[in-house]
Amino acid sequence: MTVEPEGLRQFQAHRPRLFALAYRMLGSASEAEDAVQETYLRWDGTDRSVIRSAEAWLTTAVVNLCRTWLVSARARREAYTGPWLPEPVPTARGELGPLETVEEREQVSLALLTVLERLSPVERAVFVLREAFGYAHREIADMLGVTEANSQQIFRRAGQRVRAERTRFDISANQSVALIERFLKAARNGDIEGLERMLAADVVATADGGGVVNAARRPVVGANHVARYLAGLFRWEVPGMLVSLEEINGATALVVRSEGNALLVVGFDTESDRVTALRLIVNPAKLAYLSRVGASADRGSRELGDL
């Protein structure tokens, strides 16, 4: 059975927004794609003549599906080898919706998605629907089966937890690019002192290898320790390796590829022209989506092979 043309047209019109919502809920591009596909199957099997709003029905379906999946995902992540980080997603072509303001970019940042992992499924749903998509509490209450007052209370509680750990973007994109270029040059040259000058004293480097790729099982803390760790990491070479800067999750990130496959993504948190945190993703399963969608000049990528 296939969806009739009008039903398919309606679903396709909402598909990008459904993916953006599911990704914010799950922190996983591959799982978000699965959630959108499952929502399509449910849409296919529903009597759409009784549906007043396709947007409301599809949003409700995907957000509640993600809530259910988050329960089992939490159990898997508790048994995960080493730190868990979100899957990186390229955003230069609007893959996660418009990111025209600092606030919109923060909503999809690796930093914020990592913090959202600490919320309960319902807290995450309310926060994402309200903060990222601007739904009214009355609408959120209808979607999640809670009262409007409860939705407001959940949002306040979630917002307090997020704000306590939130990292804000405080330098321009051009400043960020310049800082990362200097950082990479120093790392490749083994310039420990140069790296330390670009790192905050309490900088933290977190690596996600998932037990599949060799990576630090615990965060590396402190400018000197992080500088030495990164200098060692960037001595690593593989045939055909290409290093570039790409827009990942709304911010400039360092991406290492070989033969089109992403091998490493490094996301940066910065403050006052210093790097305060780094997130290194090397788990191949986490990089599969990025490898599949590829990179091109019109995605805002910039090769750094000459550095």
Side-chain angles (χ1 to χ4, degrees), residues 11 15 18-19 21-23 25-26 28-43 58 61-67 69:
F11 180 83
R15 189 181 193 111
L18 295 177
F19 174 79
L21 171 57
Y23 175 72
M25 283 289 297
L26 299 168
S28 165
S30 54
E31 291 178 3
E33 288 185 314
D34 290 343
V36 172
Q37 180 61 24
E38 177 62 27
T39 301
Y40 170 80
L41 294 175
R42 295 183 181 189
W43 176 251
L58 290 167
V62 77
V63 77
N64 282 295
L65 182 63
C66 290
R67 281 177 63 192
W69 287 9

Side-chain angles (χ1 to χ4, degrees), residues 2-256:
T2 58
V3 178
E4 44 82 22
E6 179 57 22
L8 180 59
R9 185 196 66 77
Q10 288 180 309
F11 180 83
Q12 293 287 42
H14 291 286
R15 189 181 193 111
R17 188 179 57 82
L18 295 177
F19 174 79
L21 171 57
Y23 175 72
R24 287 168 171 84
M25 283 289 297
L26 299 168
S28 165
S30 54
E31 291 178 3
E33 288 185 314
D34 290 343
V36 172
Q37 180 61 24
E38 177 62 27
T39 301
Y40 170 80
L41 294 175
R42 295 183 181 189
W43 176 251
D44 182 16
T46 296
D47 179 5
R48 289 181 296 282
S49 66
V50 299
I51 296 175
R52 290 181 295 176
S53 167
E55 177 185 338
W57 192 97
L58 290 167
T59 302
T60 300
V62 77
V63 77
N64 282 295
L65 182 63
C66 290
R67 281 177 63 192
T68 300
W69 287 9
L70 278 173
V71 175
S72 59
R74 282 197 158 198
R76 293 195 306 273
R77 291 168 191 177
E78 285 174 2
Y80 195 78
T81 302
W84 182 95
L85 293 173
E87 286 186 24
V89 171
T91 51
R93 291 171 57 181
E95 288 86 345
L96 295 177
L99 303 177
E100 298 172 355
T101 66
V102 170
E103 291 74 20
E104 287 172 338
R105 293 196 300 275
E106 287 174 349
Q107 287 298 322
V108 297
S109 68
L110 294 172
L112 182 66
L113 290 170
T114 303
V115 172
L116 292 185
E117 281 296 299
R118 299 167 196 174
L119 302 181
S120 71
V122 69
E123 286 175 334
R124 189 162 184 165
V126 170
F127 184 85
V128 168
L129 288 168
R130 179 64 180 163
E131 187 83 353
F133 290 87
Y135 283 102
H137 284 291
R138 174 182 51 78
E139 297 171 296
I140 296 172
D142 290 342
M143 291 179 193
L144 303 182
V146 299
T147 66
E148 186 174 350
N150 197 16
S151 175
Q152 293 170 336
Q153 184 180 44
I154 292 169
F155 179 72
R156 282 196 298 272
R157 184 170 65 239
Q160 289 170 352
R161 295 181 65 183
V162 169
R163 282 191 295 274
E165 302 183 58
R166 187 175 207 157
T167 298
R168 312 236 9 134
F169 294 179
D170 75 333
I171 65 174
S172 70
N174 287 339
Q175 288 175 306
S176 179
V177 167
L179 177 61
I180 295 171
E181 288 179 342
R182 294 199 311 273
F183 163 89
L184 178 61
K185 187 171 185 178
R188 283 186 150 181
N189 291 335
D191 182 0
I192 304 298
E193 291 184 1
L195 279 172
E196 283 192 77
R197 286 194 293 270
M198 288 179 270
L199 299 172
D202 57 352
V203 63
V204 178
T206 305
D208 181 342
V212 179
V213 173
N214 187 30
R217 297 287 181 90
R218 296 180 180 177
V220 180
V221 181
N224 184 259
H225 289 133
V226 170
R228 293 182 182 280
Y229 170 61
L230 295 172
L233 174 67
F234 281 95
R235 282 199 296 269
W236 160 67
E237 293 276 351
V238 299
M241 189 173 89
L242 174 66
V243 182
S244 63
L245 297 185
E246 300 178 27
E247 185 182 308
I248 302 290
N249 288 74
T252 303
L254 193 64
V255 181
V256 177

